[in-house]
CSV table of all heavy atoms in Angstrom, one decimal:
chain,number,residue,atom,x,y,z
A,363,ALA,N,11.0,-4.0,14.5
A,363,ALA,CA,12.1,-3.4,15.2
A,363,ALA,C,11.9,-1.8,15.2
A,363,ALA,O,12.1,-1.2,16.2
A,363,ALA,CB,13.4,-3.7,14.5
A,364,LEU,N,11.4,-1.3,14.1
A,364,LEU,CA,11.1,0.1,14.1
A,364,LEU,C,10.1,0.5,15.1
A,364,LEU,O,10.2,1.5,15.8
A,364,LEU,CB,10.6,0.5,12.7
A,364,LEU,CG,10.3,2.0,12.5
A,364,LEU,CD1,11.7,2.8,12.5
A,364,LEU,CD2,9.6,2.3,11.1
A,365,MET,N,8.9,-0.3,15.2
A,365,MET,CA,7.9,0.1,16.1
A,365,MET,C,8.3,-0.1,17.6
A,365,MET,O,8.0,0.7,18.4
A,365,MET,CB,6.7,-1.0,15.9
A,365,MET,CG,5.9,-0.8,14.6
A,365,MET,SD,4.9,0.7,14.6
A,365,MET,CE,6.1,1.9,13.8
A,366,ARG,N,9.2,-1.1,17.9
A,366,ARG,CA,9.7,-1.1,19.2
A,366,ARG,C,10.6,-0.1,19.6
A,366,ARG,O,10.5,0.5,20.7
A,366,ARG,CB,10.5,-2.5,19.3
A,366,ARG,CG,9.6,-3.8,19.1
A,366,ARG,CD,10.4,-5.0,19.6
A,366,ARG,NE,11.6,-5.3,18.9
A,366,ARG,CZ,11.7,-6.0,17.7
A,366,ARG,NH1,10.6,-6.5,17.2
A,366,ARG,NH2,12.9,-6.2,17.2
A,367,LYS,N,11.5,0.4,18.7
A,367,LYS,CA,12.3,1.5,18.9
A,367,LYS,C,11.5,2.8,19.2
A,367,LYS,O,11.8,3.5,20.1
A,367,LYS,CB,13.4,1.7,17.8
A,367,LYS,CG,14.3,3.0,17.9
A,367,LYS,CD,15.2,3.0,16.8
A,367,LYS,CE,15.9,4.3,16.6
A,367,LYS,NZ,16.7,4.6,17.9
A,368,ALA,N,10.6,3.1,18.3
A,368,ALA,CA,9.8,4.2,18.4
A,368,ALA,C,9.1,4.3,19.6
A,368,ALA,O,9.0,5.4,20.3
A,368,ALA,CB,8.9,4.4,17.2
A,369,GLN,N,8.4,3.3,20.1
A,369,GLN,CA,7.7,3.2,21.3
A,369,GLN,C,8.6,3.4,22.4
A,369,GLN,O,8.2,4.1,23.4
A,369,GLN,CB,6.9,1.9,21.4
A,369,GLN,CG,5.8,1.9,22.4
A,369,GLN,CD,4.8,0.8,22.3
A,369,GLN,OE1,5.2,-0.3,21.8
A,369,GLN,NE2,3.5,1.0,22.5
A,370,ALA,N,9.7,2.8,22.5
A,370,ALA,CA,10.6,2.8,23.6
A,370,ALA,C,11.1,4.3,23.8
A,370,ALA,O,11.5,4.7,24.9
A,370,ALA,CB,11.9,1.9,23.4
A,371,GLU,N,11.2,5.1,22.7
A,371,GLU,CA,11.7,6.4,22.8
A,371,GLU,C,10.6,7.5,22.8
A,371,GLU,O,10.9,8.7,22.7
A,371,GLU,CB,12.6,6.6,21.5
A,371,GLU,CG,13.9,5.8,21.6
A,371,GLU,CD,14.8,5.9,20.3
A,371,GLU,OE1,14.4,6.5,19.3
A,371,GLU,OE2,15.8,5.3,20.4
A,372,GLY,N,9.4,7.0,23.0
A,372,GLY,CA,8.3,8.0,23.4
A,372,GLY,C,7.5,8.5,22.3
A,372,GLY,O,6.7,9.3,22.4
A,373,ALA,N,7.7,8.0,21.0
A,373,ALA,CA,6.9,8.4,19.9
A,373,ALA,C,5.7,7.6,19.8
A,373,ALA,O,5.5,6.5,20.4
A,373,ALA,CB,7.7,8.1,18.6
A,374,SER,N,4.6,8.2,19.2
A,374,SER,CA,3.3,7.5,18.9
A,374,SER,C,3.5,6.6,17.7
A,374,SER,O,4.3,6.9,16.8
A,374,SER,CB,2.3,8.5,18.5
A,374,SER,OG,2.0,9.4,19.6
A,375,VAL,N,3.0,5.3,17.8
A,375,VAL,CA,3.3,4.4,16.8
A,375,VAL,C,1.9,3.9,16.2
A,375,VAL,O,0.9,3.9,16.7
A,375,VAL,CB,4.0,3.1,17.4
A,375,VAL,CG1,5.3,3.5,17.9
A,375,VAL,CG2,3.2,2.4,18.4
A,376,ILE,N,2.1,3.7,14.8
A,376,ILE,CA,1.0,3.2,14.0
A,376,ILE,C,1.4,1.9,13.3
A,376,ILE,O,2.3,2.0,12.4
A,376,ILE,CB,0.5,4.2,13.0
A,376,ILE,CG1,0.0,5.4,13.8
A,376,ILE,CG2,-0.6,3.7,12.1
A,376,ILE,CD1,-0.3,6.7,12.8
A,377,PRO,N,1.0,0.7,13.6
A,377,PRO,CA,1.4,-0.5,13.0
A,377,PRO,C,0.9,-0.7,11.6
A,377,PRO,O,-0.2,0.0,11.3
A,377,PRO,CB,0.9,-1.6,14.0
A,377,PRO,CG,-0.3,-1.0,14.5
A,377,PRO,CD,-0.1,0.4,14.7
A,378,GLY,N,1.3,-1.6,10.9
A,378,GLY,CA,0.9,-1.9,9.6
A,378,GLY,C,-0.6,-2.4,9.5
A,378,GLY,O,-1.2,-2.1,8.5
A,379,SER,N,-1.1,-3.0,10.6
A,379,SER,CA,-2.5,-3.4,10.6
A,379,SER,C,-3.4,-2.2,10.5
A,379,SER,O,-4.5,-2.4,9.9
A,379,SER,CB,-2.8,-4.2,11.9
A,379,SER,OG,-2.4,-3.4,13.0
A,380,ALA,N,-3.0,-1.1,10.9
A,380,ALA,CA,-3.9,0.2,10.9
A,380,ALA,C,-4.0,0.6,9.5
A,380,ALA,O,-5.2,1.0,9.1
A,380,ALA,CB,-3.3,1.2,11.8
A,381,MET,N,-3.0,0.5,8.6
A,381,MET,CA,-3.1,0.9,7.2
A,381,MET,C,-4.0,-0.1,6.5
A,381,MET,O,-4.9,0.3,5.7
A,381,MET,CB,-1.7,1.0,6.6
A,381,MET,CG,-1.8,1.5,5.2
A,381,MET,SD,-0.3,1.6,4.2
A,381,MET,CE,-0.3,-0.1,3.6
A,382,THR,N,-3.8,-1.4,6.8
A,382,THR,CA,-4.6,-2.4,6.2
A,382,THR,C,-6.1,-2.2,6.5
A,382,THR,O,-7.0,-2.3,5.6
A,382,THR,CB,-4.1,-3.8,6.7
A,382,THR,OG1,-2.8,-3.9,6.4
A,382,THR,CG2,-4.9,-4.9,5.9
Side-chain angles (χ1 to χ4, degrees):
L364 182 70
M365 292 288 92
R366 295 194 301 270
K367 173 179 169 61
Q369 195 163 35
E371 293 174 356
S374 300
V375 298
I376 299 174
S379 57
M381 186 183 86
T382 304

